Amino acid sequence: MRKVITLITMSVGLLLFSACSKSNEKHPAVTFKGGTITQKEITDQLKKIRGADSAIQQMVIERIYENKYGKEISKEDIKKEFDKIKEQAGKSFDSQLAKSGNTEAELRQKIKQQLAFKKGLESKVEVNQEKLKDIWKTFHPEVEVQQIKLKDEEDAKKVKQALEEGEDFSELVKKKASDQNSTSTEGKVKFHSHTASVPEEMKEAAFKLKNNEISDIIPVKNSMTKQTSYYIVKMIRNQNKGEDMEKYTNELKQIVIEKQLADQKFVKQAISQELKAANVKIKDATLKSIMDSLINQDSKQEQKK
């Protein structure tokens, strides 16, 4: 939710740019005793604000991708993402949205732009047998588990002891889990070997479990905060991948795509190609070179080769 709200907020001031035409840029936007501030003066000041370049670049990119790929985004796609954001934000959804100064309709529009951007990037991903076979080497099919995440090792030991004594896993999730999402879902989560949101330590331990088997305590250190969390996992449904790669073709393709979208070099090149194809021309003299670094990414990569 915060990510989407931030993206929305970045564009708020820029709406004034499009609102000012040549004919009215000299008109007063603010009046006070002894003077006025014109729309052009406000626009010029906005251009100088730190971060304005990035926000304008973002606006251009969003409009180009929406124009080209927006038709492929359905109302159902937007609703699905909107509901997901709303669920993740919980009770704070309305306050976060209000803080950003936007309406639900504007959030839906921003979601559409983000989905169109993703659709455009995906169209540039090349999926071939070599890439699928490479993913297959380390692929483990989707499993479903219950997890209890705890902040303290001593608490984790107490929970593990309670489980060994026969206490119900779901009840312990409700009583002891440190994250609210787990308590509302009984700690149930699905993931495969390449799910980025699940710690590698947890995946490695989980894949070894048989159905209904419970793991030992799994310590996971956050590389950003340096804090350690402690997981205990119960396997609900595990499965072996077997030898038939074709059975998982769709999953493997999606993993290839996700890996590419996480590659900043690929993303920059894809954006560069789209900007060139869109024949972007900046008419404002003060902003004339604002897109150059993005448009020329493709050329930079060729020079490095």
Side-chain angles (χ1 to χ4, degrees), residues 147-157 159 176-179 202 215-221 226-233:
Q147 65 169 10
I148 303 177
K149 179 182 177 182
L150 302 124
K151 295 180 179 179
D152 185 83
E153 186 175 12
E154 287 305 312
D155 286 342
K157 289 178 179 178
V159 170
K176 301 294 185 179
S178 60
D179 57 322
M202 181 173 155
S215 73
D216 291 328
I217 297 169
I218 308 165
V220 175
K221 188 172 184 178
K226 307 301 180 184
Q227 294 181 334
T228 301
S229 297
Y230 301 87
Y231 291 81
I232 300 174
V233 174

Side-chain angles (χ1 to χ4, degrees), residues 22 38 43 56 110 122 134 200 265 279:
K22 290 284 184 181
T38 66
T43 302
I56 296 168
K110 184 58 62 174
E122 288 176 349
D134 188 51
E200 290 298 321
K265 179 181 174 182
N279 193 28

Side-chain angles (χ1 to χ4, degrees), residues 83-173:
D83 291 344
K84 190 186 298 183
I85 290 169
K86 197 168 185 178
E87 182 181 352
Q88 289 174 347
K91 295 179 180 178
S92 67
F93 175 79
D94 289 336
S95 63
Q96 287 193 46
L97 192 62
K99 192 179 293 184
S100 74
N102 289 271
T103 65
E104 289 191 4
E106 288 167 331
L107 175 56
R108 287 190 176 91
Q109 176 62 22
K110 184 58 62 174
I111 290 170
K112 181 182 179 181
Q113 290 176 335
Q114 293 299 306
L115 290 176
F117 179 63
K118 185 180 179 186
K119 180 72 71 175
L121 292 181
E122 288 176 349
S123 71
K124 295 290 190 292
V125 177
E126 180 188 354
V127 180
N128 54 41
Q129 278 299 111
E130 184 180 349
K131 290 181 179 179
L132 295 178
K133 287 180 180 178
D134 188 51
I135 295 294
W136 176 251
K137 293 175 185 176
T138 57
F139 176 71
H140 191 291
E142 184 180 81
V143 302
E144 183 177 10
V145 306
Q146 280 182 288
Q147 65 169 10
I148 303 177
K149 179 182 177 182
L150 302 124
K151 295 180 179 179
D152 185 83
E153 186 175 12
E154 287 305 312
D155 286 342
K157 289 178 179 178
K158 290 176 183 177
V159 170
K160 178 63 175 174
Q161 180 65 34
L163 289 167
E164 290 174 351
E165 292 172 358
E167 194 159 343
D168 183 69
F169 199 99
S170 296
E171 288 300 315
L172 282 169
V173 171

Side-chain angles (χ1 to χ4, degrees), residues 21 55 61 85 89 109 131-132 136 140 144 182 187 193 197 215 232 247 254 264 267 271 279 305:
S21 65
I61 291 167
I85 290 169
Q109 176 62 22
K131 290 181 179 179
L132 295 178
W136 176 251
H140 191 291
E144 183 177 10
S182 289
S193 52
S197 59
S215 73
I232 300 174
K247 179 181 176 182
Q254 191 56 41
Q264 288 303 303
V267 171
I271 291 173
N279 193 28
K305 291 178 183 179

Side-chain angles (χ1 to χ4, degrees), residues 259-274:
K259 282 175 69 71
Q260 283 289 89
L261 298 194
D263 182 349
Q264 288 303 303
K265 179 181 174 182
F266 165 80
V267 171
K268 289 177 180 178
Q269 287 180 303
I271 291 173
S272 173
Q273 291 168 15
E274 289 291 356

